[in-house]
Amino acid sequence: MKAVILGGGIAGLTAGILFQRNNWTVVVNEKSKHLDPQGFAFLMSSDGLSVLNKFINSTGLQLNRQNVALFSLKTTNNQEIIKIKLKGWSSMKRKDLVSFLHSFFTENTLKYSRVFSHFIYENEKAVAAVFENGEIEYGDIFIGADGVHSKVREQVFGSVHHSPVEVKEIVGICKFEWEDDNKGAVFQKFQSNKHGLSFGIIPVALNEVVWFMQYDARLETSVDKKDVESLKTFCLNMLQDFPLDVKNVLQNNDFTKTYLWNTTDFDLLPSFNKNNIVLIGDAAHLALPFTSAGSTNAILDAEALIEGFEKYTDYNDAFEYYYLQRSSKLKHHIEQGRELKNTFLNPTNSNQYNYKLPLVSDDDKAISTIQNKPINILYFTDPICSTCWIIQPILRKLQLEYEDYINIDYKMGGLLPSWKEFSKGIIKQPLDAANHWEDVSLSHKTPIIGDVWIEDQLESSYPPSIAFKAAQLQSVDKAIILLRRLKELVFIQKKNITKWEIIESVALKVGLDTAQLMEDMQNKGKDLFLEDLKLSKEYDVNLFPSIYFSNESGTKLSLKGYHPYEKFEKIIKEIAPDIIKKRIDIDPEELFIKFNNMTESEFLFLSNMESEKGSLVLQKLYEDGKIEKLENRNGLMWMYKNSD
């Protein structure tokens, strides 16, 4: 079988490589006379990179790319309003990727100076592509990968209706010292809160950035994109109220190599093929650039197309599979791009909560809520409560065995307002807390060290409690993970979790917007925390944890302090006797996939293993490179290697 690919961009080259790897005869036809350098750089998600990594792993070739670790959105006065970790995103220069893809072809499989003219048909089926230079290429299927203004699409489907140009974008590349968080670069964006105007900086290599200015087309008076000085003056005038970094980028920029784009899109096509002709990449679909999805989508199109031919011998079935795999995701990107455009054009109607983020999936943005289940558990806790730490295995086992039946509603009880206002039993001062933690660790065989109370003592438990409530405004589930990570830091790693830099570091790893978190800790999060304190007084909470169980009929039971798992089960069965607990998968690696981090005692409890056997299992996982360990004098914490 022979595939004739029309267009030697990212979509066409990727498709050519994938078809070659499946033993097809392939000819890629590119209209330019040589390697096309057009375009500076782009962002790519982990989905697109996973396809490229297969090429790298099979050949040993290298592809230059820059990990992009964070997205930061600031106002024109440098106030950060969004700061969130990015999962698996990288930036790369277009010429680097195209050169990498070109290396998989020969002069017989990649042909230049072929401008597509038309198809030759027999019985309504294309049998050859004809080029303006008179050359003809025969084949079995024909793949239109010729970009936004696709001649193949126009001939097969007719003209598409492009949306009006409401946003324009000027793009350049220059040398610039960029911010690094030690794990990767920061995609920095500055947004006017008055009108549709923004400036973005994306690091693509050491001391090199691609920049872009997006602006409401109505703001443009007159600019000659071919006149270097006119273009530079226009950018500087438009961005005169933006921070110094923006102006420094423009001053370092070579405006002879700067481009102005008219951004547009079109509705999803009802099909990507007609008979044996199929479209991929921008020829098939187009989303506005706000989504940064174009290059990734081109690669994923090619992957889905070859998967169709791996599953089906008939090209109609293969093309149908390809469309079904891609159409819903592409429709979402088109709609997302339009939402982002509307937000951009109407900044005064937007805020941090409804701002549509680029580069973030729906799963990342999802805000979980308390669902209607037979049993509600009101759980009063505190980030520095040692008893709340030692019942973590119990809460996790409840989650595994009864997750279909219980909601756990976390409330902060405010254990330590300050040392001036604290006196609980034998604990009068930080040193008492240190000794108490050591005693708890010994009696419950759980790793806790009290050194933080000696080396960097906490003055209050309020800041991490407020951080938890603020995190709930973004995601209930991520707030719980944040609380767990903070506990690990204070109980095992001796970290002062009242400090913002500690809270921010954990929140970023969890996937929270830390700029919004800081804002909410000062306002809405603090209010929610005060509501929790008020509720704890109503429930007369004087011991942590305090746990209140209730069902739909109003039956209420409670536990205070530490109790074994059997006591929790007894209460659950009392208030909901018909509940049947779930058989759980206690495969060791599956437990780590579920929870990421576990103390050794926690692992033994959840896996129902004796100490000696459990230690051997953990050691084997460690030797196999599946988990890492963090050891202190009172025990071990094991961490899944693929987690954050």
Side-chain angles (χ1 to χ4, degrees):
M1 294 286 284
K2 181 178 178 180
V4 176
I5 300 173
L6 305 166
I10 293 169
L13 293 171
T14 304
I17 295 168
L18 291 171
F19 274 88
Q20 284 181 152
R21 288 161 66 93
N22 279 261
N23 299 316
W24 281 60
T25 299
V26 172
V27 176
V28 178
N29 304 275
E30 167 57 32
K31 65 181 180 181
S32 63
K33 297 179 180 179
H34 47 72
L35 176 65
D36 183 9
Q38 189 177 28
F40 288 129
F42 45 78
L43 289 156
M44 185 172 293
S45 76
S46 57
D47 293 332
L49 288 170
S50 68
V51 177
L52 297 178
N53 284 335
K54 293 175 185 176
F55 300 163
I56 293 169
N57 294 337
S58 66
T59 63
L61 296 172
Q62 295 299 312
L63 172 62
N64 295 326
R65 62 177 185 263
Q66 171 63 54
N67 175 42
V68 181
L70 296 172
F71 171 73
S72 172
L73 179 69
K74 295 182 179 181
T75 63
T76 53
N77 62 5
N78 243 350
Q79 178 189 357
E80 193 164 47
I81 55 175
I82 291 175
K83 186 177 183 181
I84 194 164
K85 183 179 180 182
L86 299 177
K87 296 180 181 179
W89 284 84
S90 291
S91 62
M92 64 185 73
K93 295 181 183 178
R94 187 182 186 278
K95 68 176 183 179
D96 287 344
L97 177 56
V98 172
S99 295
F100 169 77
L101 297 175
H102 271 228
S103 65
F104 289 83
F105 298 91
T106 67
E107 61 181 12
N108 293 322
T109 56
L110 174 56
K111 299 187 177 183
Y112 291 105
S113 299
R114 281 190 162 184
V115 179
F116 172 72
S117 173
H118 61 277
F119 290 110
I120 298 173
Y121 291 91
E122 290 182 4
N123 300 320
E124 299 184 351
K125 178 181 174 181
V127 295
V130 181
F131 303 96
E132 290 183 2
N133 61 8
E135 294 177 349
I136 299 174
E137 194 70 53
Y138 288 86
D140 298 297
I141 68 164
F142 297 84
I143 302 173
D146 50 341
V148 177
H149 304 293
S150 169
K151 285 188 178 181
V152 176
R153 182 186 65 233
E154 186 173 351
Q155 288 194 16
V156 174
F157 293 97
S159 299
V160 296
H161 175 69
H162 284 263
S163 63
V165 177
E166 297 179 280
V167 177
K168 294 189 176 184
E169 183 173 87
I170 297 175
V171 185
I173 190 168
C174 68
K175 297 293 182 182
F176 186 75
E177 293 284 342
W178 46 267
E179 181 182 352
D180 188 343
D181 77 335
N182 297 321
K183 291 185 178 178
V186 179
F187 171 15
Q188 189 78 259
K189 191 170 184 179
F190 301 89
Q191 172 72 54
S192 169
N193 57 10
K194 297 178 181 178
H195 43 243
L197 178 64
S198 68
F199 188 89
I201 305 171
I202 305 173
V204 292
L206 185 63
N207 302 327
E208 192 170 17
V209 300
V210 161
W211 63 268
F212 61 87
M213 182 179 82
Q214 295 167 332
Y215 62 95
D216 186 334
R218 294 171 295 184
L219 297 176
E220 182 181 302
T221 51
S222 61
V223 57
D224 184 351
K225 65 181 181 180
K226 295 181 180 179
D227 184 333
V228 173
E229 286 304 315
S230 173
L231 194 59
K232 182 177 181 179
T233 300
F234 174 71
C235 291
L236 288 170
N237 287 341
M238 290 285 284
L239 300 166
Q240 59 183 315
D241 295 329
F242 278 60
L244 183 60
D245 273 355
V246 171
K247 296 167 186 173
N248 287 339
V249 168
L250 293 178
Q251 292 296 341
N252 289 331
N253 184 65
D254 180 0
F255 277 87
T256 63
K257 299 177 181 178
T258 298
Y259 297 94
L260 188 152
W261 307 104
N262 296 322
T263 71
T264 184
D265 69 4
F266 54 83
D267 291 339
L268 184 72
L269 298 174
S271 172
F272 291 155
N273 81 289
K274 185 174 181 181
N275 290 328
N276 62 332
I277 303 170
V278 66
L279 304 174
I280 64 173
D282 287 347
H285 47 77
L286 184 64
L288 292 165
F290 296 103
T291 61
S292 299
S295 297
T296 296
N297 279 334
I299 290 173
L300 296 182
D301 282 357
E303 182 184 45
L305 182 60
I306 195 62
E307 284 177 357
F309 279 99
E310 289 171 347
K311 291 178 180 292
Y312 303 101
T313 55
D314 185 278
Y315 65 75
N316 289 302
D317 294 332
F319 291 157
E320 182 179 3
Y321 172 87
Y322 157 56
Y323 188 80
L324 289 174
Q325 289 295 305
R326 299 292 295 141
S327 57
S328 61
K329 296 181 180 69
L330 295 167
K331 185 173 188 292
H332 169 70
H333 284 154
I334 293 169
E335 292 171 349
Q336 184 187 47
R338 292 171 179 177
E339 287 182 53
L340 287 163
K341 179 187 71 174
N342 290 333
T343 300
F344 173 79
L345 292 173
N346 301 283
T348 57
N349 298 334
S350 303
N351 58 49
Q352 295 96 314
Y353 291 105
N354 64 20
Y355 189 90
K356 300 293 182 181
L357 282 172
L359 313 183
V360 179
S361 70
D362 287 344
D363 290 340
D364 294 329
K365 286 281 287 179
I367 299 177
S368 52
T369 57
I370 299 296
Q371 300 175 15
N372 184 24
K373 294 180 181 178
I375 300 173
N376 188 61
I377 298 176
L378 201 58
Y379 175 51
F380 289 92
T381 184
D382 189 274
I384 66 168
C385 166
S386 57
T387 309
C388 299
W389 172 244
I390 63 176
I391 72 160
Q392 286 286 291
I394 291 173
L395 295 178
R396 284 183 159 182
K397 195 164 189 175
L398 286 174
Q399 179 186 347
L400 288 172
E401 295 189 333
Y402 295 99
E403 65 178 343
D404 295 335
Y405 304 104
I406 62 172
N407 280 318
I408 302 179
D409 189 3
Y410 285 68
K411 302 295 181 182
M412 295 291 107
L415 177 61
L416 179 62
S418 71
W419 283 107
K420 292 180 180 179
E421 304 172 68
F422 186 85
S423 179
K424 293 281 187 180
I426 62 171
I427 300 177
K428 311 293 184 184
Q429 58 182 334
L431 183 58
D432 297 334
N435 293 331
H436 175 66
W437 280 18
E438 296 289 337
D439 292 340
V440 170
S441 177
L442 182 63
S443 60
H444 288 275
K445 297 180 180 179
T446 296
I448 306 176
I449 53 176
D451 294 2
V452 68
W453 297 109
I454 300 168
E455 299 173 1
D456 190 9
Q457 67 185 47
L458 290 71
E459 296 298 333
S460 170
S461 66
Y462 280 21
S465 299
I466 295 170
F468 172 79
K469 300 308 296 185
Q472 284 185 312
L473 292 167
Q474 296 186 44
S475 167
V476 172
D477 292 338
K478 290 179 181 179
I480 293 170
I481 299 171
L482 173 76
L483 181 60
R484 166 70 189 208
R485 297 287 186 267
L486 290 174
K487 288 182 176 182
E488 291 171 2
L489 288 176
V490 72
F491 288 115
I492 296 177
Q493 299 185 48
K494 307 185 297 182
K495 300 295 184 182
N496 186 336
I497 60 172
T498 67
K499 295 179 177 179
W500 167 247
E501 58 265 28
I502 300 293
I503 293 171
E504 181 186 36
S505 175
V506 176
L508 283 172
K509 290 179 181 178
V510 167
L512 293 164
D513 174 355
T514 57
Q516 186 61 57
L517 187 72
M518 176 182 279
E519 169 73 18
D520 288 335
M521 284 181 66
Q522 298 168 355
N523 297 287
K524 294 182 180 181
K526 184 180 289 186
D527 293 340
L528 290 174
F529 174 62
L530 294 175
E531 289 177 14
D532 280 5
L533 294 184
K534 181 180 178 182
L535 187 64
S536 70
K537 289 182 180 179
E538 293 175 5
Y539 274 81
D540 193 27
V541 173
N542 53 21
L543 183 66
F544 293 103
S546 287
I547 306 169
Y548 298 86
F549 301 78
S550 62
N551 61 14
E552 295 171 336
S553 61
T555 302
K556 294 182 179 180
L557 295 171
S558 64
L559 290 174
K560 293 193 175 186
Y562 178 80
H563 293 272
Y565 187 71
E566 291 74 20
K567 190 66 178 288
F568 284 79
E569 284 196 298
K570 182 180 178 182
I571 288 180
I572 287 173
K573 289 175 181 176
E574 282 185 40
I575 64 176
D578 295 332
I579 282 179
I580 301 174
K581 72 179 179 181
K582 184 189 298 183
R583 289 176 61 93
I584 62 174
D585 185 352
I586 57 175
D587 174 77
E589 189 171 352
E590 289 300 318
L591 286 175
F592 276 103
I593 290 172
K594 176 75 173 177
F595 294 119
N596 290 323
N597 298 353
M598 287 184 279
T599 64
E600 185 152 337
S601 54
E602 193 169 29
F603 172 78
L604 296 175
F605 178 74
L606 294 175
S607 62
N608 297 324
M609 288 187 189
E610 296 296 329
S611 178
E612 185 175 349
K613 180 182 178 183
S615 295
L616 291 173
V617 168
L618 289 169
Q619 185 63 29
K620 180 66 166 58
L621 287 173
Y622 176 70
E623 291 172 357
D624 289 344
K626 300 292 181 63
I627 59 175
E628 298 174 308
K629 63 181 175 181
L630 179 64
E631 189 170 3
N632 64 41
R633 64 175 179 268
N634 291 336
L636 285 169
M637 165 78 85
W638 296 91
M639 298 156 290
Y640 192 53
K641 262 198 171 180
N642 291 334
S643 73
D644 289 326

